[in-house]
Amino acid sequence: MTQNLVQNPYLDAYKAVCTPALSAISAVSPVIGDVLLTVNTWQTRDRCLEQYGFAVPSQEAIELLATLSPLVEMGAGLGYWASLVEALGADIVAYDKYVNKRGKVKLYSSTKYGKPFLPVHKGTTEVLELHADRTLFMCWPPYDSPMASDTLQAYLDHGGQTVVHVGEGPGGCTGDDRFFGLLEEHMEETQTLDIPRWPGIRDYLSVWRRL
């Protein structure tokens, strides 16, 4: 059953450029469609990545996360996804490594800092000792970086049971090989959910439970 709809300007911006009409044109004429998609999407995508984050949240994805409350998000960035989960009344606490003394978070593509959508606390793996009873949420952990695997290892070491990952699968542009190896070794994928995708991106939401 659908809960109260949350205001989601990121999804609105995505829908404004990734329209069914453009998809239909691409199906009939890939060359023309690709040109139109390029013109209409890439500038918008770059702006949205800076303003909101990498993955586009859907209402269904936010509702699913809310059912797994309480949650702890690591590498939350500006906390856009977390803010939507909180808007549904769920309990989520957000952390990021790059938070300055004024509570602003470093923007992914520059040295500038932006105001988060909800309070984002400064912290890395050491905070998981306090939150291992929560569902661990990671949205687009950085590619080929130990951040995702170190986070998951610390969560498992402290007895964590449930992980939600939003990103691409093994060999994709999120996480590292060790991260996916830890998931396969210690956890079972119990649910997947498609989310809105920018052209050329293959991200999705997956839920993992400890074996």
Side-chain angles (χ1 to χ4, degrees), residues 133-151:
D133 58 331
R134 292 172 175 261
T135 297
L136 173 63
F137 174 46
M138 284 188 284
C139 184
W140 268 72
Y143 168 66
D144 200 23
S145 160
M147 178 271 175
S149 52
D150 287 350
T151 298

Side-chain angles (χ1 to χ4, degrees), residues 9-10 15 51 57 59 62 66 78 87 102 113 122 136 159 165 175 186 203:
Y10 191 178
K15 288 181 175 179
Q51 188 172 356
Q59 177 75 18
I62 296 303
L78 294 174
R102 300 174 61 190
Y113 284 71
K122 185 178 180 67
L136 173 63
H165 172 243
H186 298 286
D203 53 355

Side-chain angles (χ1 to χ4, degrees), residues 129-195:
E129 183 177 4
L130 305 174
H131 300 299
D133 58 331
R134 292 172 175 261
T135 297
L136 173 63
F137 174 46
M138 284 188 284
C139 184
W140 268 72
Y143 168 66
D144 200 23
S145 160
M147 178 271 175
S149 52
D150 287 350
T151 298
L152 178 54
Q153 184 66 71
Y155 181 70
L156 293 171
D157 288 346
H158 292 298
Q161 296 294 314
T162 306
V163 174
V164 179
H165 172 243
V166 172
E168 296 194 328
C173 55
T174 58
D176 59 358
D177 291 343
R178 178 170 168 253
F179 170 69
F180 291 103
L182 287 170
L183 286 176
E184 291 294 335
E185 181 179 357
H186 298 286
M187 311 197 81
E188 178 183 10
E189 188 178 58
T190 59
Q191 190 170 358
T192 62
L193 178 68
D194 286 336
I195 59 174

Side-chain angles (χ1 to χ4, degrees), residues 63-91:
E63 289 179 359
L64 174 55
L65 279 169
T67 67
L68 298 171
S69 173
L71 303 104
V72 56
E73 182 177 8
M74 301 299 294
L78 294 174
Y80 184 73
W81 277 67
S83 72
L84 300 187
V85 172
E86 187 175 79
L88 284 181
D91 179 0

